Amino acid sequence: MKLDTLLKLKTIKLFLLMLPVLLYSSCLGEPPASMNTTSYSVTKPDHVFHWKMTTTWPPNFPVLGEVAEKYAKWVDEMSNGQIKIKVYGGGELVPPLEAFDSVSQGTIEMGCGAAYYWAGKTPAAQFFAAVPFGMNSQQLTAWMETGGGYELWKKTYAQFNLVPFMGGNTGVQMGGWFNREINSIEDFKGLKMRLPGIGGKVLEKAGGAAVLVAGSEIYTSLERGVIDATEWVGPYHDYKMGFHKIAKYYYTPGWHEAGTQLEFFINKGLHDRLPLHLQSILEGAAKRAQVWVLSEFDKQNGIYLNKLVNEDKVEIREFSKETLDALRGYTKEAIEEMIGDDPISREVYESYSSFQNKIGAWSKVTEKAYYNKIQE
């Protein structure tokens, strides 16, 4: 056999051996540019991902901004440096309330915020943040973890090309700072208050006006009279933000947010292309954040409540039972109107309320009894 004929046969044989590999690679295709994964390669399991995270919070904001930085650090450590996340505060990359769209579209890999900010996208989102007269942090985490809540959350966000993770819980919040006394439900009439989510709809039913203001803009809005009142979280943040210097009355309890769930969310196209071990790391770090946020808020709120009351002589006032009963009635109306004929909102609400009824009966003979009869 001639040498050139032998070479041709070997070349054909080599091509036939490589053909299945070439066909398999072509089937994988390239990820869409909108997924922002052009540097990803399925043939490199040790590929390093460099991501950006945008938050709805001001840069370096206590607890809320801190946990975003801690999350990035934990993911880096757990992935052995395979996922590196650079955190940007609200306004540094995009305006705070544009985080949802930016991550959904893939221009930024992930975000951090609270689901009730996206009520305009889907009413169902609000159940994964806070519901007036709803579940507290302990109950809400139980619903998410073992009561079917997380599966519904993923289903809700999948419509927007997002994957959500729990990112901490604030615990029961304060009722807010007011520049007028609230002695009855009538005092809410004409009140302009920074109050997001379903709570804002309840305020409007009581005759007030709900204003959605980013955290970085609350102080100036209250100082200049753009709003008459604001809620935020609790004594720690409220003290740091200086609300006690510009508002007269500090009310409890936080009927509107009994345990506000925070979140991380990731572009779904990008998330689903990750190796399974990296997907698990992203979720695992989020669960660590869930524990840290509530622990830090409980610690700091205890310290700063003492400062407000004993050093700055702030008087804590309570909403009357009649006022709370009226707000509870408006809440039921607001939720029914919000759900309307939206199937997924109805599905989420039914799951949420069913779980709350069952766990509420248990909490009544344990948690409530303990606080009312044992702990002073």
Side-chain angles (χ1 to χ4, degrees):
M1 186 177 293
K2 293 183 180 181
L3 180 60
D4 59 339
T5 303
L6 182 62
L7 290 173
K8 288 179 180 178
L9 288 173
K10 288 185 175 181
T11 301
I12 292 171
K13 185 178 180 180
L14 178 62
F15 174 76
L16 291 173
L17 288 171
M18 291 296 295
L19 184 59
V21 176
L22 293 170
L23 289 173
Y24 177 72
S25 299
S26 67
C27 289
L28 289 175
E30 290 296 325
S34 63
M35 289 184 181
N36 201 20
T37 58
T38 53
S39 62
Y40 177 73
S41 172
V42 294
T43 62
K44 295 181 180 179
D46 59 345
H47 178 84
V48 177
F49 298 88
H50 293 273
W51 286 7
K52 297 182 291 294
M53 179 199 299
T54 184
T55 78
T56 59
W57 326 116
N60 305 309
F61 201 63
V63 186
L64 305 179
E66 285 180 82
V67 76
E69 295 286 356
K70 286 182 178 293
Y71 179 82
K73 178 176 179 289
W74 294 333
V75 168
D76 189 1
E77 292 172 350
M78 294 165 69
S79 69
N80 197 27
Q82 201 170 349
I83 299 182
K84 295 187 176 295
I85 302 170
K86 173 69 174 176
V87 177
Y88 295 86
E92 291 186 320
L93 281 181
V94 297
L97 300 181
E98 290 183 16
F100 189 94
D101 285 340
S102 297
V103 178
S104 174
Q105 295 162 7
T107 55
I108 298 173
E109 289 83 359
M110 68 179 301
C112 174
Y116 53 28
Y117 291 147
W118 326 127
K121 304 294 180 183
T122 171
Q126 297 166 93
F127 292 103
F128 307 110
V131 176
F133 302 96
M135 290 189 277
N136 64 19
S137 60
Q138 181 176 324
Q139 297 166 336
L140 190 61
T141 299
W143 177 58
M144 291 284 197
E145 278 291 311
T146 61
Y150 185 46
E151 288 71 24
L152 289 170
W153 196 6
K154 287 190 288 186
K155 178 180 178 180
T156 301
Y157 273 34
Q159 304 172 94
F160 304 96
N161 193 34
L162 295 172
V163 175
F165 293 131
M166 292 186 286
N169 195 294
T170 67
V172 180
Q173 297 191 9
M174 289 293 287
W177 294 87
F178 295 76
N179 274 323
R180 69 166 72 167
E181 291 186 89
I182 305 296
N183 296 314
S184 71
I185 195 66
E186 297 298 316
D187 293 319
F188 281 102
K189 290 184 177 179
L191 183 81
K192 294 175 294 182
M193 184 174 182
R194 188 268 180 193
L195 188 60
I198 302 172
K201 300 296 183 185
V202 175
L203 174 65
E204 290 171 355
K205 283 189 167 292
V211 182
L212 187 56
V213 177
S216 59
E217 301 170 3
I218 297 176
Y219 184 94
T220 53
S221 296
L222 188 59
E223 184 181 38
R224 296 174 182 174
V226 175
I227 54 177
D228 307 307
T230 186
E231 57 75 49
W232 184 240
V233 179
Y236 179 40
H237 275 179
D238 294 353
Y239 184 94
K240 292 288 187 181
M241 296 176 79
F243 295 149
H244 59 293
K245 298 176 182 178
I246 54 174
K248 297 178 181 179
Y249 307 108
Y250 198 24
Y251 276 87
T252 188
W255 58 272
H256 60 298
E257 297 189 44
T260 306
Q261 182 61 51
L262 310 176
E263 64 177 2
F264 297 107
F265 47 93
I266 299 172
N267 178 276
K268 189 175 188 301
L270 176 61
H271 170 273
D272 291 353
R273 290 183 64 86
L274 289 174
L276 290 179
H277 75 284
L278 293 183
Q279 293 182 18
S280 295
I281 284 170
L282 291 169
E283 184 174 2
K287 290 185 178 180
R288 184 174 178 181
Q290 182 78 359
V291 174
W292 184 85
V293 170
L294 181 59
S295 301
E296 184 68 2
F297 266 128
D298 276 347
K299 180 190 77 174
Q300 297 289 8
N301 282 332
I303 294 170
Y304 282 85
L305 176 64
N306 180 66
K307 286 181 177 290
L308 286 169
V309 172
N310 296 315
E311 296 178 15
D312 292 280
K313 308 304 178 185
V314 170
E315 180 184 351
I316 308 296
R317 299 197 173 195
E318 292 187 5
F319 294 118
S320 69
K321 183 181 184 302
E322 292 74 20
T323 298
L324 292 173
D325 286 345
L327 291 170
R328 190 191 301 273
Y330 288 139
T331 295
K332 293 178 181 178
E333 293 178 18
I335 289 176
E336 283 298 328
E337 291 177 5
M338 178 193 78
I339 291 171
D341 56 0
D342 180 30
I344 194 164
S345 294
R346 176 68 61 180
E347 182 182 9
V348 173
Y349 171 63
E350 289 176 354
S351 173
Y352 182 102
S353 58
S354 174
F355 193 88
Q356 182 181 6
N357 288 336
K358 292 172 184 175
I359 203 169
W362 166 242
S363 298
K364 186 177 294 185
V365 298
T366 52
E367 305 283 334
K368 185 176 181 181
Y370 177 79
Y371 287 127
N372 290 347
K373 298 184 178 180
I374 298 177
Q375 190 174 64
E376 296 181 358

